[in-house]
Amino acid sequence: MEIRKVGVVGAGTMGSGIAQAFAVAGYDVVMQDIKDEFVQRGLTTIRKSLERVASKGKMSADDVAAALGRIRPSVTLDPLADCDLVVEAALENVDLKTQLFRKLDGICKDGAILASNTSSISLTRIAAATTRPTHVVGMHFFNPVPLMKLVEVIRALQTDDEVIRAVEEVSRKIGKTPHVVKDSYGFVVNRVLIPMINEGINCLYEGLAQPEDIDDTMKLGANHPMGPLALADLIGLDIVLNVMETLYQGFEDPKYRPSPLLKQMVDAGYLGRKTGRGFFRYDQA
């Protein structure tokens, strides 16, 4: 099962990073989004990222140009028809993803692998929305994609062993370290990480300490490179809430109940770095 051409659905932070990783590794890439402005923004993000790498002497100008030349932008799904692997990096919404996979199933060639970058949604449910459930798999990349080495390869209940092996192999070829995990809400990383962040938020909600103190205790006491509240701001509080709700609804276990303060922050639009304000401020000089 050879992978030569890759499609990426979604040109946002994760999608553009995934497209960059494949293009730098020599793969032809179709990067699709619903509006040209989204695709162009993704291409700009990739260009700036590669230029930063080149400025550090880790890529030549010719390598940058070659990688960018391998990326074909699109606002329709049709150019994905001849891709060997399509990685979906759309919004974290189960209905949106299942609808999208039905469309991809009808467009993509027989034998193509359909992968989702979902961070918490059931791959088994996504696979069941297609006529090729054996060829549906999870490829959970981590932000920032060009730097983070891990890819969680999620095996849906239906996924073929051959598909898992092919995804492991292509992950290594783009410089990542794949780890295969069973399909379960949140998989491994987010099932451990996001509830920890949620408890950090609860510590603030209950008045145990100030945000800076909560983060410093985890950095100094647990040797974490970043405190849970700053990490929540980096991830995006809306995404943290989405994952917590997926865990809570999926397992029906009260230990995954989202913090009331997390809900309030999202309601207020204080989503972290991307809005300039979360548990810390990023919009002040």
Side-chain angles (χ1 to χ4, degrees):
M1 188 176 289
E2 188 174 2
I3 295 172
R4 295 181 178 178
K5 186 175 182 180
V6 177
V8 179
V9 179
T13 300
M14 296 302 294
S16 62
I18 295 166
Q20 176 180 328
F22 278 104
V24 168
Y27 290 89
D28 290 327
V29 179
V30 177
M31 185 172 69
Q32 184 273 343
D33 214 316
I34 57 174
K35 291 184 179 180
D36 185 61
E37 63 183 282
F38 298 160
V39 178
Q40 295 305 318
R41 188 183 305 152
L43 288 171
T44 298
T45 298
I46 294 170
R47 183 178 296 107
K48 289 180 178 178
S49 175
L50 293 177
E51 287 172 350
R52 283 194 299 271
V53 175
S55 70
K56 298 176 182 177
K58 296 181 179 179
M59 287 183 75
S60 68
D62 288 344
D63 290 337
V64 170
L68 289 170
R70 295 186 191 104
I71 302 173
R72 175 185 174 185
S74 177
V75 293
T76 70
L77 297 174
D78 294 337
L80 303 174
D82 62 345
C83 289
D84 304 299
L85 167 68
V86 177
V87 183
E88 168 271 318
L91 295 174
E92 192 74 349
N93 178 284
V94 64
D95 292 331
L96 173 66
K97 288 185 186 294
T98 52
Q99 291 172 14
L100 183 54
F101 269 73
R102 287 191 191 100
K103 292 179 181 178
L104 291 171
D105 186 32
I107 292 171
C108 294
K109 65 182 181 182
D110 291 343
I113 298 172
L114 305 183
S116 176
N117 182 54
T118 178
S119 58
S120 60
I121 294 171
S122 167
L123 264 298
T124 298
R125 183 172 177 181
I126 293 173
T130 74
T131 62
R132 62 177 89 194
T134 59
H135 280 58
V136 175
V137 66
M139 286 188 78
H140 183 205
F141 292 82
F142 293 81
N143 187 32
V145 175
L147 300 179
M148 299 294 279
K149 291 295 186 181
L150 176 64
V151 173
E152 279 186 314
V153 179
I154 297 97
R155 180 194 293 273
L157 193 63
Q158 309 96 315
T159 310
D160 272 355
D161 289 343
E162 184 182 3
V163 170
I164 294 293
R165 287 192 292 269
V167 171
E168 286 184 282
E169 181 181 0
V170 77
S171 297
R172 294 189 185 97
K173 285 182 176 179
I174 63 172
K176 305 303 182 187
T177 302
H179 283 277
V180 179
V181 302
K182 291 181 179 180
D183 183 28
S184 181
Y185 300 105
F187 318 125
V188 173
V189 173
N190 280 339
R191 184 167 171 180
V192 174
L193 176 65
I194 301 299
M196 183 205 73
I197 290 174
N198 192 61
E199 278 307 296
I201 298 169
N202 273 331
C203 287
L204 180 61
Y205 177 64
E206 295 169 14
L208 270 66
Q210 293 301 305
E212 296 84 355
D213 297 317
I214 292 169
D215 275 12
D216 277 350
T217 57
M218 292 304 295
K219 288 191 288 184
L220 298 174
N223 203 29
H224 290 190
M226 180 180 289
L229 302 183
L231 183 54
D233 282 351
L234 179 63
I235 294 170
L237 302 194
D238 52 336
I239 295 173
V240 173
L241 177 59
N242 186 283
V243 175
M244 283 304 300
E245 288 178 333
T246 298
L247 293 170
Y248 186 42
Q249 294 164 11
F251 289 113
E252 298 181 350
D253 189 329
K255 73 179 181 181
Y256 295 117
R257 183 167 52 238
S259 170
L261 178 56
L262 175 59
K263 292 181 177 181
Q264 288 177 334
M265 295 288 282
V266 172
D267 286 343
Y270 301 155
L271 306 183
R273 287 181 179 270
K274 60 187 172 185
T275 59
R277 180 174 179 178
F279 294 109
F280 301 97
R281 297 295 293 263
Y282 306 93
D283 56 358
Q284 297 173 337

